[in-house]
Amino acid sequence: MSYDGGSYDVIVIGAGHAGCEAALAAARMGCRTLMITINLDMVAFMPCNPSIGGPAKGHVVREIDALGGEMGRNIDKTFIQLRMLNTGKGPAVHALRAQADKFLYQHTMKETMEKTPNLTLRQGMVEELIVEDGHVSGVITKTGTVYHSKTVILTTGTYLRGKVIMGELTYESGPNNQQPSVKLSENLRELGFELVRFKTGTPPRVHKDTIDFSKTEIQPGDEHPKFFSYETKSSNNEQLPCWLTYTSEVTHQIINDNLHRAPMFTGIIEGTGPRYCPSIEDKVVRFSDKSKHQIFLEPEGKNTSEYYVQGLSTSLPEDVQLAILRSIPGMEKVEMMRNGYAIEYDAMVPTQLWPSLETKRLPGLFTAGQINGTSGYEEAAGQGIMAGINAARKVQGKEPVVLDRSQGYIGVLIDDLVTKGTNEPYRLLTSRAEYRLLLRHDNADLRLTPIGYDIGLITEERYAAFTDKKARVEREITRLQETKVKPNEVNEALADFNSAPIVDGSNLLTLMRRPEVEYSFVDRISPSAEDLDDEMKEQVEIQIKYAGYIEKQLQHVEKLQKMEQKKIPEDINYNDIHGLAMEARQKLTKIAPISIGQASRISGVTPADISILLVYLEHYNRVTAAKG
């Protein structure tokens, strides 16, 4: 017997990091939004590492915030440690990482969602999508409740046919012993979607009081931390240290002696695991020349004794896990509170998506997060906000928002997925971006806040603060260019920066281009009349020092933009194009690129194929125009 649960503009299935951003974006854009999840106690839960950020991932969190999303604000409220990584390198790879109080993080996010207008939270398991006239029109839950909607966003994470594996033990389960979603996976296959089997894992958790921290190295947070959200100006959060230790030769011996009990080597695990986050047994086998591997001991929160053993992801049996833990310096007498395990799950082949994250096969259905073959909370949240934005815009009859590769790491992530696909859980890396100097941690607001404002996720007040910051930075750069100084005015200060003296007059901008000269030099020689905060000063310094490199990348972007602007009509039949290689025809037909730029990034499509396609499109457009 069915029950009518009502009608909505957007239904979000799943309440992980993708689901939260999707639901909040859609609701804040004025759409009546329903978020359905198997367990409301698991909203924004962190089933794996209790942290946010890091290389590339931290950039994504800043981009989510610049667009008007929630992850940055939420982690700024709930962090127990903040560290800026890679500070010894250039600004393109500076990356903020936060240790989260995982319980406070999820409770704070849930509270935010509960208080958001237009957003309804409901506990239930969706088992079937409703399809009418080739368009998704709602969902049916396990209890028979029917919810109608104009769009649906799937953010099911690792729950689709989830299976936990530990040694020889296997059982159907979502993460952290939650119910798996089985029938929805079957329903997607019935609707013609291609799914793949992926695997991820998590390490054991141990009791703080059984760790001998004197045998480990302390890893404190930054004394003056920076934040993820541009709205956060200060924090009173107490910072807790993490601790570094290493595996030992005994650890490696225990693992090698028990490989016959390791599911990933015995064939029990069928799914493909993440290359960039391997299990400890995989690391020991693949890097047999290494005598030790780093292990970080990370607190899971202020009000718990559980510590996360970063670097020790494993699916070995319980007794082996305990032996491994006790072979590591500082953990000789450790007590294990939770076992590590592997989890297999179904994922969508992401080339079945448009760059808007709407599925090609079923209009109105969007997917975001680990269901699209990615790994990581940040990658999920980045997809989530874009899916939420585009589902809302579809309801509103507007064109989708698609970030290109020069606008953000979110653009790189989504373009990689929908254009190239992935044969393993995808992890975002700074090396995946061609324009790393443009996609910096410090300038996410300059890149994306105008977009967030245009779509209605950035408030008038915040946008005014953004435009004021931008204007102040530009005025200061102009002032430094116009401020002339003499040798006797600056040489003493230059010497303090170990910088060569000047013989003739110069302007401050020229002196600021020197790698060793910092903005504090300007504060000493000619303080600005503007009220510049540290963020603005950093922006001035980076824009001056890297102006030449940035200009070169912008010129390259401009050339590629012309390729992105050459749109490919949806009704193109690639089999009609003489001269295209057979592989190119097959790949172009399967991916259905929306532009020449996207077509050029498809594996197997050569520059010669692109040339032939350009010639054909010119002829096609002339004929189409003549028909009028």
Side-chain angles (χ1 to χ4, degrees), residues 79-95:
F79 73 86
I80 51 177
Q81 188 189 104
L82 275 170
R83 289 183 77 187
M84 184 67 78
L85 309 179
N86 300 329
T87 52
K89 301 178 182 178
V93 292
H94 289 181

Side-chain angles (χ1 to χ4, degrees), residues 270-473:
E270 299 169 8
T272 305
R275 178 184 315 203
Y276 300 102
C277 188
S279 66
I280 187 63
E281 51 266 38
D282 195 18
K283 280 192 278 193
V284 167
V285 170
R286 279 166 54 190
F287 307 107
S288 56
D289 57 316
K290 288 188 176 292
S291 61
K292 61 182 182 180
H293 294 280
Q294 285 187 331
I295 301 294
F296 290 94
L297 303 175
E298 303 174 342
E300 295 229 314
K302 290 179 294 185
N303 300 312
T304 178
S305 293
E306 282 191 74
Y307 265 59
Y308 179 89
V309 188
Q310 171 82 295
L312 207 73
S313 179
T314 182
S315 57
L316 281 161
E318 184 174 352
D319 60 305
V320 181
Q321 290 188 33
L322 185 59
I324 289 171
L325 287 168
R326 290 181 174 176
S327 70
I328 295 170
M331 292 201 284
E332 292 86 353
K333 298 180 180 179
V334 83
E335 291 296 335
M336 184 166 65
M337 297 179 71
R338 301 185 200 229
N339 305 324
Y341 60 86
I343 184 168
E344 282 187 350
Y345 56 96
D346 286 346
M348 181 85 72
V349 173
T351 52
Q352 297 170 103
L353 308 174
W354 297 113
S356 64
L357 296 179
E358 185 176 17
T359 61
K360 298 171 184 175
R361 178 175 289 276
L362 187 54
L365 177 66
F366 295 75
T367 61
Q370 280 187 274
I371 188 177
N372 287 344
T374 57
S375 64
Y377 311 141
E378 304 85 355
E379 289 92 335
Q383 294 170 70
I385 192 170
M386 298 311 299
I389 289 167
N390 288 327
R393 287 178 72 86
K394 188 174 183 73
V395 169
Q396 295 163 353
K398 297 176 181 177
E399 287 294 308
V401 173
V402 175
L403 301 180
D404 67 39
R405 299 179 71 90
S406 66
Q407 288 177 297
Y409 274 94
I410 294 174
V412 173
L413 163 68
I414 294 174
D415 184 67
D416 277 353
L417 291 173
V418 304
T419 303
K420 302 172 183 175
T422 182
N423 55 12
E424 62 188 31
Y426 177 102
R427 179 178 180 178
L428 198 54
L429 308 165
T430 53
S431 59
R432 296 192 192 271
E434 306 92 314
Y435 309 112
R436 291 194 291 281
L437 200 49
L438 301 182
L439 309 182
R440 304 185 309 275
H441 174 275
D442 62 90
N443 72 347
D445 60 339
L446 297 175
R447 291 183 275 120
L448 298 176
T449 295
I451 295 173
Y453 177 69
D454 287 343
I455 60 182
L457 290 177
I458 295 292
T459 63
E460 292 286 349
E461 182 183 12
R462 178 166 172 180
Y463 190 66
F466 160 75
T467 53
D468 177 62
K469 169 189 171 180
K470 187 178 176 185
R472 288 183 191 220
V473 168

Side-chain angles (χ1 to χ4, degrees), residues 6-12 26 29-34 129-139 146-154 358-359 362-366 387-388 390-398:
S7 296
Y8 295 85
D9 295 318
V10 179
I11 291 177
V12 179
M29 289 171 69
C31 289
R32 191 159 178 257
T33 304
L34 171 68
L129 301 176
I130 303 170
V131 179
E132 294 176 351
D133 300 323
H135 192 286
V136 72
S137 62
V139 303
V146 176
Y147 297 98
H148 304 277
S149 66
K150 297 170 185 173
T151 57
V152 172
I153 307 174
L154 288 180
E358 185 176 17
T359 61
L362 187 54
L365 177 66
F366 295 75
N390 288 327
R393 287 178 72 86
K394 188 174 183 73
V395 169
Q396 295 163 353
K398 297 176 181 177

